[in-house]
Amino acid sequence: MNKLAYIVLGLAVSTYVYANNQTTQGNNSATVISDMKSTLDKETAVTLTEKDKNLAKQWMLLETDWVKYKEIMSGPRGIWSPGLDPITALGVSETDPQERKRYAELWIKIESRRAELEMAFEVERQRAASRVLGDQLAVNNSSWIRQWEQKQVEVNKQVVLFVDSNCKEDCKTMFEELHASVGDNARLDIYFKQGATSEGIGQWASFMKIPPEVVRSREVTLNFDEGRSAELEVDMAALPQVRVIDVKSGAIKATYK
């Protein structure tokens, strides 16, 4: 091989080695960059505080759910719906059907519990108002008082249901039919058997899907018996029972149609 051939071969080898080294370095650099990015991602990922973990438990969510929730609310959803509760935020952003189903079931559980507690407090609040204020209105507002009095004038029938707070499934159809037939000019007062608790009453009302605002407006009232059954001669050992009172005449019927 002549001198020129050696020179050409040497250049080819050098070029190959240089190119191979560059490729190797490039691959190594890409690997290093990828590793650095992975490390940075882990370091910059949402870190849950103890407060976050406690909140996740309160909402019946996994810690991974809470990470997703924080990421969701840091994006467009947080601007579209500021203050959105965690379960709804996760549910409306979820694309996996099974996860969406899980969030929907969690929402129902949380919402049911909220309604139960609100009902329980409303029962005690109304009881306290009766005990402390008697017939005096709890709100000293002339406009509200006029509306209240007008509403009471319009009521011409009082439907009184006596029931055990443990009677849910067996009483559901009866309650729904009764509630639907009460009408605009009637009030439904529900009295619970002795031994009922405010929370038990709240659970009963939530099971019957009575909205808390309906109870607060006193369209439907939830009451401890405290002698009402004796006044209307109701046998509390044979529940449920219904009494219908004509507000104007005072006439009482033992059944409701």
Side-chain angles (χ1 to χ4, degrees), residues 1-12:
M1 185 179 293
N2 59 32
K3 187 175 181 180
L4 180 60
Y6 277 114
I7 293 172
V8 171
L9 179 61
L11 287 171

Short mmCIF file of all heavy atoms in Angstrom, two decimals, residues 1-12:
data_model
loop_
_atom_site.label_atom_id
_atom_site.label_comp_id
_atom_site.label_asym_id
_atom_site.label_seq_id
_atom_site.Cartn_x
_atom_site.Cartn_y
_atom_site.Cartn_z
N MET A 1 0.87 -1.19 0.00
CA MET A 1 0.00 0.00 0.00
C MET A 1 0.90 1.23 0.00
O MET A 1 1.85 1.33 0.77
CB MET A 1 -0.88 -0.01 1.24
CG MET A 1 -1.90 1.11 1.27
SD MET A 1 -2.93 1.03 2.76
CE MET A 1 -3.83 -0.46 2.46
N ASN A 2 0.59 2.17 -0.91
CA ASN A 2 1.44 3.35 -0.99
C ASN A 2 1.14 4.34 0.11
O ASN A 2 0.19 4.19 0.87
CB ASN A 2 1.31 4.02 -2.37
CG ASN A 2 -0.13 4.43 -2.64
OD1 ASN A 2 -0.84 4.78 -1.71
ND2 ASN A 2 -0.54 4.38 -3.90
N LYS A 3 1.95 5.33 0.21
CA LYS A 3 1.84 6.32 1.30
C LYS A 3 0.52 7.04 1.28
O LYS A 3 -0.09 7.29 2.33
CB LYS A 3 2.99 7.31 1.15
CG LYS A 3 3.08 8.28 2.30
CD LYS A 3 4.31 9.15 2.15
CE LYS A 3 4.42 10.12 3.33
NZ LYS A 3 5.62 10.99 3.20
N LEU A 4 0.03 7.38 0.07
CA LEU A 4 -1.26 8.10 -0.05
C LEU A 4 -2.41 7.26 0.50
O LEU A 4 -3.30 7.76 1.18
CB LEU A 4 -1.52 8.45 -1.53
CG LEU A 4 -2.83 9.20 -1.80
CD1 LEU A 4 -2.87 10.53 -1.04
CD2 LEU A 4 -3.00 9.45 -3.31
N ALA A 5 -2.38 5.95 0.23
CA ALA A 5 -3.44 5.05 0.71
C ALA A 5 -3.47 5.01 2.23
O ALA A 5 -4.52 4.98 2.88
CB ALA A 5 -3.25 3.65 0.15
N TYR A 6 -2.23 4.97 2.84
CA TYR A 6 -2.17 4.97 4.31
C TYR A 6 -2.77 6.23 4.90
O TYR A 6 -3.46 6.22 5.93
CB TYR A 6 -0.72 4.83 4.78
CG TYR A 6 -0.23 3.41 4.81
CD1 TYR A 6 0.78 2.97 3.94
CD2 TYR A 6 -0.78 2.50 5.73
CE1 TYR A 6 1.21 1.66 3.98
CE2 TYR A 6 -0.33 1.20 5.76
CZ TYR A 6 0.66 0.78 4.89
OH TYR A 6 1.08 -0.51 4.93
N ILE A 7 -2.51 7.31 4.22
CA ILE A 7 -3.04 8.60 4.72
C ILE A 7 -4.56 8.62 4.66
O ILE A 7 -5.25 9.00 5.62
CB ILE A 7 -2.46 9.77 3.90
CG1 ILE A 7 -0.96 9.89 4.15
CG2 ILE A 7 -3.20 11.07 4.23
CD1 ILE A 7 -0.28 10.90 3.25
N VAL A 8 -5.14 8.12 3.54
CA VAL A 8 -6.59 8.08 3.37
C VAL A 8 -7.22 7.16 4.40
O VAL A 8 -8.24 7.46 5.03
CB VAL A 8 -6.96 7.61 1.94
CG1 VAL A 8 -8.46 7.36 1.83
CG2 VAL A 8 -6.51 8.66 0.93
N LEU A 9 -6.61 5.98 4.59
CA LEU A 9 -7.13 5.03 5.57
C LEU A 9 -7.10 5.61 6.98
O LEU A 9 -8.04 5.46 7.77
CB LEU A 9 -6.31 3.73 5.52
CG LEU A 9 -6.72 2.62 6.52
CD1 LEU A 9 -8.16 2.19 6.26
CD2 LEU A 9 -5.78 1.42 6.40
N GLY A 10 -6.01 6.31 7.27
CA GLY A 10 -5.89 6.91 8.61
C GLY A 10 -6.95 7.95 8.85
O GLY A 10 -7.55 8.02 9.93
N LEU A 11 -7.22 8.74 7.83
CA LEU A 11 -8.27 9.75 7.95
C LEU A 11 -9.64 9.11 8.16
O LEU A 11 -10.46 9.58 8.96
CB LEU A 11 -8.30 10.63 6.70
CG LEU A 11 -7.13 11.63 6.55
CD1 LEU A 11 -7.16 12.29 5.17
CD2 LEU A 11 -7.22 12.70 7.65
N ALA A 12 -9.92 8.03 7.45
CA ALA A 12 -11.21 7.33 7.57
C ALA A 12 -11.39 6.78 8.97
O ALA A 12 -12.46 6.88 9.58
CB ALA A 12 -11.30 6.20 6.53
#
